[in-house]
């Protein structure tokens, strides 16, 4: 029996270059040797984004997955909310999860801080648009946000995934998943496989502002950005703070632009590094070169993307839903049996 991998992404925006190197590149390789499940994590998207206008992202995300090389014949590609067992199992898992485990999750605290930061627009419980950070901020932190790691555990264990390829930001959640599995198995007998996280070579890409590149932070270079947009974003990148004038000696090892050169394969890396350090190469020329590298990679990606229609994506998701539901419902039977529920 082949081992299984599973991973997902939230429809909170278009995919970005952090996804390409932190997630998709790994997903594509893994589908060769594993039974692979990849999904649009739409229920998760509501933890910090109550917008009801996400439909286009579903299609855009799946197009990016396919353009990056996912093969729907080999990978099961589906939408989380179309497999109701995800939410169902999360309810059962929540019974076996101590509150303190989710409360102490470091990303829960980070998420609250982000939500309260200015500019995060959400909707309060009366359905009115409001800004997190103003007087309705208490309504913004939902139970769903707190229990995010439980739903994530459900996503994984429903398919007995052995490995979960994720970026660095998700590793803390995965640790909680492993603990929940151990506790559930201890309480109700061997039911789930304990999953392991898999990081890529580049598990955390920073955006032009040096924060983690994130759909929700508005600091992304999206996979469907055009060359002029890429150029503008790269030009805004924060570089070595000690290289103020063009001919000041720079420190490529701490510069985000140089990291991009390395990751995305700009030619003549050694020359760029030496000329930056000696002061021959200024940041403007260096960034222009970086923008060209990205534009080339992304224009090839976009060519593949543009060949895909929404109808084709819908058909792929329909097939994925059927395959996912088959596995998920069999697993739910086992869960209910082990918990002593009538089936
Ligand atoms: P959001 O802001 O809505 O959380 P996101 O950009 O963080 O969006 P997710 O859908 O949460 O994207 O993440 C999908 C996968 O991509 C996860 O495995 C995550 O760890 C990985 N990932 C996201 N951002 C990066 C990044 N900047 N570098 C590397 N991997 C990333
Ligand atoms: Mg995220």
């Amino acid at each position: 029996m082949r081992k299984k991998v599973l991973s997902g992404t939230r429809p909170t925006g278009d995919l970005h270059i952090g996804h390409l190197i932190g997630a998709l590149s790994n997903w594509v390789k893994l589908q060769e040797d594993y039974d692979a499940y990849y999904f649009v994590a739409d229920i998760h998207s509501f933890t910090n984004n109550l917008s009801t206008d996400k439909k286009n992202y579903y299609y855009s995300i799946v197009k990016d997955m396919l353009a990056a090389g996912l093969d729907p014949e080999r990978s099961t590609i589906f939408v989380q909310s179309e497999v109701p067992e995800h939410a169902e199992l999360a309810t059962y898992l929540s019974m076996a999860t101590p509150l303190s485990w989710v409360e102490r999750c470091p990303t829960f605290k980070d998420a609250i801080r982000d939500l309260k930061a200015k500019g995060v627009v959400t909707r309060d419980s009366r359905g009115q648009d409001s800004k997190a950070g103003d007087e309705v901020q208490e309504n913004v932190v939902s139970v769903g946000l707190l229990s995010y790691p439980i739903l994530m555990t459900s996503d994984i264990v429903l398919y007995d995934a052995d490995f979960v390829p994720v970026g660095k930001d998700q590793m803390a959640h995965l640790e909680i998943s492993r603990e929940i599995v151990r506790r559930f198995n201890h309480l109700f007998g061997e039911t789930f496989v304990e999953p392991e996280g898999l990081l890529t070579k580049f598990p955390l890409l920073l955006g032009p502002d040096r924060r983690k590149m994130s759909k929700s932070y508005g600091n992304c270079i999206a996979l469907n950005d055009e060359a002029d947009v890429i150029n503008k974003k790269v030009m805004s990148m924060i570089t070595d703070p000690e290289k103020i004038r063009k001919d000041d000696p720079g420190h490529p090892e701490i510069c985000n632009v140089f990291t991009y050169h390395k990751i995305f394969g700009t030619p003549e890396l050694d020359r760029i590094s030496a000329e930056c350090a000696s002061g021959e190469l200024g940041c403007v020329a260096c960034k222009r070169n970086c923008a060209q590298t990205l534009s080339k990679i992304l224009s090839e990606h976009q060519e593949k993307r543009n060949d895909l229609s929404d109808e084709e994506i819908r058909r792929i998701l329909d097939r994925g839903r059927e395959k996912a539901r088959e596995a998920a419902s069999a697993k739910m039977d086992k869960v209910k049996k082990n918990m002593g529920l009538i089936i």
Side-chain angles (χ1 to χ4, degrees):
M1 270 241 300
R2 300 218 303 176
K3 293 221 172 208
K4 300 193 181 75
V5 295
L6 170 137
S7 199
T9 184
R10 312 188 316 151
T12 44
D14 288 318
L15 293 194
H16 52 70
I17 56 174
H19 292 119
L20 197 59
I21 53 122
L24 291 178
S25 60
N26 225 8
W27 296 8
V28 171
K29 272 190 239 134
L30 291 165
Q31 69 179 351
E32 303 292 331
D33 299 317
Y34 294 87
D35 270 349
Y37 291 83
Y38 299 119
F39 66 101
V40 180
D42 54 350
I43 309 179
H44 281 295
S45 73
F46 287 97
T47 53
N48 67 344
N49 180 329
L50 295 186
S51 154
T52 52
D53 190 19
K54 295 173 183 149
K55 284 281 177 317
N56 286 337
Y57 294 135
Y58 289 71
Y59 292 100
S60 177
I61 284 173
V62 180
K63 284 179 187 175
D64 279 330
M65 289 178 175
L66 300 180
L70 283 191
D71 173 0
E73 296 301 321
R74 278 184 283 180
S75 295
T76 304
I77 302 172
F78 65 99
V79 172
Q80 185 187 29
S81 66
E82 293 189 333
V83 182
E85 286 83 355
H86 286 249
E88 186 184 3
L89 178 57
T91 303
Y92 293 122
L93 293 178
S94 72
M95 308 301 169
T97 307
L99 182 60
S100 61
W101 289 7
V102 282
E103 274 178 339
R104 70 157 197 247
C105 177
T107 49
F108 177 58
K109 293 181 190 143
D110 292 350
I112 290 177
R113 196 201 51 221
D114 289 346
L115 275 170
K116 288 183 176 172
K118 281 195 192 74
V120 180
V121 176
T122 180
R123 220 174 247 238
D124 70 12
S125 55
R126 292 168 307 230
Q128 289 160 341
D129 283 344
S130 56
K131 262 201 186 331
D134 65 23
E135 71 278 6
V136 295
Q137 66 180 223
E138 292 315 317
N139 292 338
V140 169
V141 179
S142 64
V143 176
L145 177 63
L146 177 69
S147 61
Y148 182 103
I150 300 176
L151 183 58
M152 173 168 158
T153 307
S154 168
D155 302 333
I156 299 166
V157 298
L158 205 41
Y159 303 95
D160 283 330
D162 301 275
F163 297 104
V164 186
V166 284
K168 205 169 166 186
D169 58 304
Q170 293 296 329
M171 284 310 253
H173 289 150
L174 206 64
E175 264 322 299
I176 300 183
S177 294
R178 289 160 60 84
E179 284 181 278
I180 295 174
V181 166
R182 285 197 290 270
R183 188 165 154 91
F184 194 100
N185 286 348
H186 173 73
L187 292 170
F188 300 111
E190 207 57 29
T191 314
F192 301 121
V193 171
E194 193 175 318
E196 275 179 51
L198 273 187
L199 290 177
T200 59
K201 209 166 142 202
F202 303 109
L204 179 66
L205 188 78
L206 302 182
D209 56 359
R210 290 193 66 91
R211 296 196 303 159
K212 171 190 167 306
M213 186 174 283
S214 264
K215 291 184 238 99
S216 323
Y217 295 169
N219 64 349
C220 300
I221 298 178
L223 297 181
N224 57 8
D225 276 346
E226 307 265 336
D228 54 336
V229 178
I230 297 169
N231 200 46
K232 216 165 129 201
K233 290 179 178 174
V234 173
M235 285 300 168
S236 77
M237 283 176 76
I238 296 173
T239 56
D240 174 3
E242 287 184 26
K243 191 168 166 71
I244 297 159
R245 282 181 302 270
K246 174 179 174 289
D247 48 4
D248 285 338
H251 305 86
E253 65 286 357
I254 57 138
C255 178
N256 201 21
V257 177
F258 191 69
T259 304
Y260 278 33
H261 282 310
K262 265 197 300 200
I263 294 177
F264 296 102
T266 306
E268 298 189 67
L269 265 190
D270 290 342
R271 182 187 58 78
I272 294 171
S273 169
E275 291 185 359
C276 167
S278 69
E280 280 166 85
L281 179 65
C283 292
V284 171
C286 185
K287 285 177 178 177
R288 207 171 288 132
N289 192 6
C290 179
Q292 268 170 10
T293 299
L294 287 177
S295 297
K296 186 163 178 293
I297 292 175
L298 295 188
S299 76
E300 285 164 15
H301 177 90
Q302 287 160 16
E303 247 172 67
K304 294 183 196 149
R305 225 189 103 97
N306 293 343
D307 284 342
L308 299 161
S309 67
D310 287 359
E311 292 71 32
E312 195 175 343
I313 299 302
R314 190 56 260 180
R315 277 196 297 276
I316 289 169
L317 291 175
D318 285 345
R319 264 192 287 143
R321 177 187 55 212
E322 293 319 308
K323 276 172 76 182
R325 282 214 73 177
E326 207 177 297
S329 80
K331 192 73 200 181
M332 279 314 298
D333 283 350
K334 180 167 181 181
V335 171
K336 289 181 177 173
K337 185 165 164 275
N338 288 7
M339 290 182 82
L341 298 168
I342 266 188
I343 51 169

